[in-house]
């Protein structure tokens, strides 16, 4: 068996994505976070020096009159903002992402958010997770490993962590196999909106048309895939429209595939650059969940999200006027020295504590069980099938890069061949 061809003719989705993501620009924002955190739990930004000015979360794209902009750095400030969806609205995403993605759950406030979330999470039940693990995720991971297992070396990012989560989503949605290369290409184009906005909008429209056809089919011939479940989901007499399902399906690509690719790559960097921890985990798989949570704490794939204050309030004692935009630094909160000793270190043996990689409050990640399960399956199959997996001694040590989205551009490894 070989890995599925995920590329359109002549196209390399990873190359295209890597270029568009501008990988490698900032290697380590954590010292700056520490500096900021030491001075401010939450800081009112001077707009020309806002940390977001040159990044994907560019507030200058959000309209002429920005008013006040704050950045929440401490764990307590970040948690307080995320916990209170009434005071801190998510509607600001509409201007940033709405024109590419449509009206998604991310930008909804209560009560709309509550109803919609109740409907879509029917497709992400615990029971579904067990079926997906054996029926989908293991197969997708194994097909990718099949393609390089006999070689003794691979770039795990390009050959495994980047392609596998998109393929998992495609299988969960029950997409026809022949459509996978096209789907993967459109998915990568859409999540590259920060680089080529127009192309992302076109890709999003094409995905919309593609999904509409499939939704119509599943309404007529329901099966057990996620699209069929969404088409039939009902809560207090409410059902999802085609547009609502389409927006959700498109959101799964940046929210579900890109994050999982980045978080699993980051965890692998943590383990491979700490061989004693890698060995301990290989020997005792009961450490798996601690390793996954530490990877998410240490290097969350998404460093920052945003909210807007709906009324005058205060965050950990700092006044925040109504209408203020609040950048929420998950990366900084996850390294807050008041919660974690040696927070900059990757240490799967540290005392387990709640991290904020999946956010908190009403918008806390809907796919967190899936993300954890995918990562567990990925590591299990890698350890079982690639004996003595280690960094390639002839290659450069992998670096995690990025200011808002983080991952290593490459992860060259070797293993013992049987
Ligand atoms: C390690 C991987 C992942 C991380 C770190 C992550 C992180 C996050 C974060 C921080 C949010 C909150 C965004 C905000 O409020 O601004 C979020 C929301 C969300 N995530 Fe994830 N995510 C991951 C994987 C997934 C997966 C696999 C799926 C589904 C296939 C998924 C689906 C969603 C959805 C639908 C939301 C919106 C929830 C809502 O607005 O109520 N995520 N995620």
């Amino acid at each position: 068996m070989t890995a599925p061809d995920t590329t359109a003719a002549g196209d390399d989705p990873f190359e295209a994505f890597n270029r568009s993501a501008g990988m490698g620009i900032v290697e380590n924002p954590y010292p700056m976070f520490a500096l900021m955190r030491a001075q401010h739990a939450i800081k009112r930004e001077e707009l020309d020096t806002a940390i977001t000015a040159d990044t994907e979360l560019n507030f200058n794209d959000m309209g002429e009159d920005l008013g006040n902009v704050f950045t929440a750095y401490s764990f307590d400030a970040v948690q307080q903002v995320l916990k209170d969806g009434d005071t801190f609205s998510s509607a600001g995403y509409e201007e940033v992402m709405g024109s590419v993605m449509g009206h998604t759950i991310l930008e909804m406030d209560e009560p709309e958010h509550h109803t919609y979330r109740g409907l879509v999470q029917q497709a992400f039940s615990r029971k579904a997770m067990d079926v997906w693990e054996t029926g989908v995720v293991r197969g997708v991971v194994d097909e990718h490993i099949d393609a390089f297992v006999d070689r003794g070396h691979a770039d795990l990012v390009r050959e495994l962590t980047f392609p596998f989560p998109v393929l998992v989503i495609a299988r969960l949605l029950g997409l026809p196999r022949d459509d996978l290369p096209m789907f993967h290409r459109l998915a990568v184009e859409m999540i590259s909106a920060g680089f080529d906005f127009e192309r992302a909008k076109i890709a999003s429209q094409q995905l919309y048309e593609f999904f509409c056809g499939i939704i119509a089919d599943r309404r007529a011939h329901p099966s057990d895939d996620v699209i069929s479940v969404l088409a039939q989901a009902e809560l207090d007499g409410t059902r999802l429209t085609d547009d609502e399902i389409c927006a959700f399906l498109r959101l799964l690509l940046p929210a579900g595939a890109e994050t999982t690719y980045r978080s699993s790559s980051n965890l692998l960097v943590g383990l491979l650059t700490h061989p004693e921890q890698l060995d301990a985990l290989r020997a005792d798989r009961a450490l798996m969940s601690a390793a996954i949570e530490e990877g998410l704490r240490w290097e969350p794939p998404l460093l920052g999200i945003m909210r807007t204050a709906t009324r005058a309030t205060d965050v950990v004692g700092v006044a925040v006027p109504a209408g203020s935009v609040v950048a929420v630094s998950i990366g900084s909160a996850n390294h807050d020295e008041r919660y974690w000793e040696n927070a900059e270190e990757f240490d799967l043996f540290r005392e387990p504590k709640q991290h904020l990689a999946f956010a908190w409050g009403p918008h806390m990640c809907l796919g967190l069980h899936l993300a954890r399960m995918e990562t567990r399956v990925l590591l299990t199959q890698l350890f079982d099938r690639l004996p003595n997996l280690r960094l390639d001694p002839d290659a450069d040590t992998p670096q995690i890069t990025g200011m808002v989205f983080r991952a290593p551009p490459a992860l060259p490894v070797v293993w013992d061949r049987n």
Side-chain angles (χ1 to χ4, degrees), residues 82 90 93 105-108 113 117 120 124 169 172 248 251-252 255-257 259-260 263-264 296 300-302 305-307 330 356-360 362-368 370-372 374-375:
L82 294 181
S90 293
Y93 285 133
I105 187 171
L106 267 190
E107 68 194 42
M108 293 177 189
H113 173 261
R117 185 156 169 141
V120 291
F124 289 81
I169 288 182
L172 297 184
F248 183 72
L251 175 66
L252 288 184
T259 46
T260 307
S263 64
S264 56
L296 285 162
L302 172 63
I305 57 180
M306 56 166 288
R307 297 291 187 262
I330 288 175
L356 297 176
F358 289 120
W360 194 256
H363 289 272
M364 188 167 185
C365 180
L366 182 77
L368 53 85
L370 173 60
R372 286 172 171 143
E374 285 182 274
T375 313

Side-chain angles (χ1 to χ4, degrees), residues 154-289:
D155 172 1
L156 286 186
V157 169
R158 177 187 288 261
E159 299 183 70
L160 182 60
T161 58
F162 181 72
F164 100 90
V166 180
L167 269 291
V168 166
I169 288 182
R171 297 268 178 93
L172 297 184
L173 302 185
L175 303 184
R177 240 187 136 87
D178 287 351
D179 290 333
L180 293 185
M182 179 266 299
F183 174 72
H184 198 183
R185 182 175 54 78
L186 292 179
V188 171
E189 285 176 11
M190 195 187 73
I191 63 177
S192 305
F195 172 71
D196 191 340
F197 192 69
E198 287 311 312
R199 199 167 166 195
K201 268 172 79 167
I202 294 168
S204 176
Q205 180 60 29
Q206 289 171 328
L207 280 169
Y208 177 85
E209 284 155 20
F210 172 60
F211 283 143
C212 280
I214 295 183
I215 293 167
D217 176 64
R218 300 299 152 75
R219 286 205 193 275
H221 313 285
S223 172
D224 56 358
D225 55 77
V226 166
I227 299 182
S228 299
V229 176
L230 293 172
Q232 290 160 69
E234 193 178 328
L235 192 71
D236 303 332
T238 308
R239 280 173 168 262
L240 292 163
T241 63
D242 284 9
D243 268 10
E244 287 170 332
I245 296 177
C246 267
F248 183 72
L249 297 179
R250 282 184 294 189
L251 175 66
L252 288 184
L253 297 168
E258 190 185 346
T259 46
T260 307
Y261 131 62
R262 291 178 182 281
S263 64
S264 56
S265 307
N266 294 349
L267 172 57
L268 279 164
V269 171
L271 291 169
L272 288 160
T273 55
H274 296 81
E276 67 302 338
Q277 296 188 46
L278 176 65
D279 287 345
L281 175 59
R282 246 194 301 240
D284 179 5
R285 304 292 172 86
L287 294 170
M288 189 64 87
S289 136

